[in-house]
Amino acid sequence: MKTKKLLYVSLLIAFSLILSYIETFIPAIPIPGAKLGLASIATLLSLYLFDLKTSFTVVSLRIILSAFIFTNFTALIYSLSGGLVSLIAMYLAIKLAKDNLSIIGVSIIGAIFHNMAQLSAAVFVLGTVSIVSLTPWLLFLGIITGIFTGLTAKYVLKYSHIKKQADKFYNK
Amino acid sequence: MKKGDKLIIIIVAAVALIALGIILITASDANNKAVSITVDQKPYMTMSLNKDTTLTVATQYGSNTIQIKDGSVKVTSADCPDKICVHTKAAHKVGDIIVCLPHRLIITIEKAE
């Protein structure tokens, strides 16, 4: 059973790496800090299928690997802050409000926290607060990208067999 | 979608609208505007927005070519990986900002004294 779980987690990391790669082909949104966030589909899946510890592994490995393969060290600071803050925000959202929130709401929360964390990291790295004026656009974009990734994750959970397999690890 | 999802969308959209309103209300425009360029937290150059010019900012992080034309400034080319600065639309109002995160470059429009 342990080997099987390892297999699924590795697949999730590979899946999120590919999504990060595909995202580099999509024209950039002309606002620093904003991203389509395709890779957060994998974060959402791991949160819903596995526990926080496993999700943490998926997110941090994806970010570190993609920084080495596709981008550079500066991008790593932004991605790590965005990725980890959004992971924690989504985990808390599931823990505290599972009955009132669907995966779409959780995903929106994750996207918004991701954008805000990247903006904060940019304020820190660039040493200026003037870019805070981008906040409204980052919030609007967070809603849109959050709905998109949330819907995708929802249908993956609904139509793939991965949920049934993952539930076995926790004897649900 | 559940009730909470819609609530979150409404709250976030409201906050974003209010923030946008505050930014638009407090934004003031002037006749004499200056383009200020900052690299890695340090002022790099300041120049008038009224004089057309093209310059290349080359630093240890990379290079960006900046063009001032007809009272607005834009980044025409850059060797950064994401090109977000190049895709950002031209800045012309006080407070407008163009950022190149990988090159730690910020271009802002300020009121000229």
Side-chain angles (χ1 to χ4, degrees):
Chain A
M1 211 49 124
K2 221 176 161 188
T3 321
K4 229 175 175 179
K5 187 182 168 188
L6 187 70
L7 173 78
Y8 278 104
V9 174
S10 316
L11 278 174
L12 264 181
I13 297 170
F15 172 59
S16 63
L17 263 176
I18 293 295
L19 288 177
S20 296
Y21 184 54
I22 291 173
E23 198 168 314
T24 59
F25 293 113
I26 298 170
I29 304 166
I31 297 175
K35 260 176 101 183
L36 189 50
L38 287 179
S40 85
I41 296 169
T43 315
L44 270 172
L45 288 178
S46 62
L47 268 175
Y48 273 83
L49 296 170
F50 306 110
D51 51 8
L52 180 64
K53 216 177 113 195
T54 316
S55 311
F56 181 80
T57 315
V58 171
V59 173
S60 37
L61 274 179
R62 185 254 301 167
I63 290 170
I64 293 167
L65 287 173
S66 81
F68 277 123
I69 304 172
F70 314 124
T71 51
N72 52 41
F73 180 73
T74 319
L76 184 71
I77 306 173
Y78 296 115
S79 317
L80 262 184
S81 57
L84 294 181
V85 167
S86 96
L87 170 68
I88 291 161
M90 291 196 283
Y91 172 74
L92 289 177
I94 295 172
K95 267 266 131 108
L96 299 174
K98 198 167 187 177
D99 300 335
N100 296 319
L101 280 182
S102 76
I103 194 164
I104 298 168
V106 172
S107 168
I108 295 171
I109 290 176
I112 286 159
F113 274 86
H114 170 273
N115 290 357
M116 288 301 116
Q118 290 223 312
L119 187 70
S120 313
V123 167
F124 181 71
V125 173
L126 299 172
T128 174
V129 287
S130 57
I131 49 171
V132 171
S133 62
L134 296 169
T135 306
W137 307 113
L138 288 173
L139 289 176
F140 283 130
L141 279 167
I143 298 176
I144 296 163
T145 59
I147 291 174
F148 176 74
T149 49
L151 274 176
T152 313
K154 183 183 159 186
Y155 287 114
V156 171
L157 287 178
K158 196 171 167 191
Y159 292 111
S160 85
H161 294 288
I162 189 169
K163 176 124 178 64
K164 243 181 273 163
Q165 292 292 334
D167 283 348
K168 284 186 202 156
F169 304 136
Y170 300 97
N171 303 315
K172 274 187 217 164
Chain B
M1 275 206 252
K2 288 187 187 168
K3 223 171 153 185
D5 299 345
K6 286 170 190 155
L7 196 67
I8 283 178
I9 295 177
I10 292 168
I11 292 172
V12 175
V15 170
L17 275 178
I18 292 167
L20 191 62
I22 292 171
I23 289 169
L24 287 179
I25 289 167
T26 52
S28 59
D29 217 0
N31 287 325
N32 268 333
K33 286 172 277 193
V35 179
S36 154
I37 302 171
T38 317
V39 178
D40 200 14
Q41 311 192 19
K42 287 182 279 289
Y44 180 88
M45 191 187 251
T46 305
M47 61 211 139
S48 169
L49 188 61
N50 300 323
K51 224 177 96 194
D52 291 1
T53 176
T54 305
L55 82 153
T56 301
V57 177
T59 62
Q60 63 187 105
Y61 306 109
S63 89
N64 301 63
T65 302
I66 298 160
Q67 185 191 47
I68 300 179
K69 204 183 163 198
D70 302 332
S72 68
V73 58
K74 66 183 293 190
V75 177
T76 49
S77 68
D79 57 1
C80 53
D82 54 17
K83 301 275 191 287
I84 286 178
C85 53
V86 181
H87 291 118
T88 306
K89 65 177 201 300
H92 59 94
K93 290 196 304 289
V94 171
D96 277 0
I97 186 163
I98 300 174
V99 186
C100 182
L101 287 181
H103 295 174
R104 306 191 179 195
L105 174 101
I106 307 175
I107 303 165
T108 43
I109 300 207
E110 291 166 353
K111 217 183 249 176
E113 298 303 326

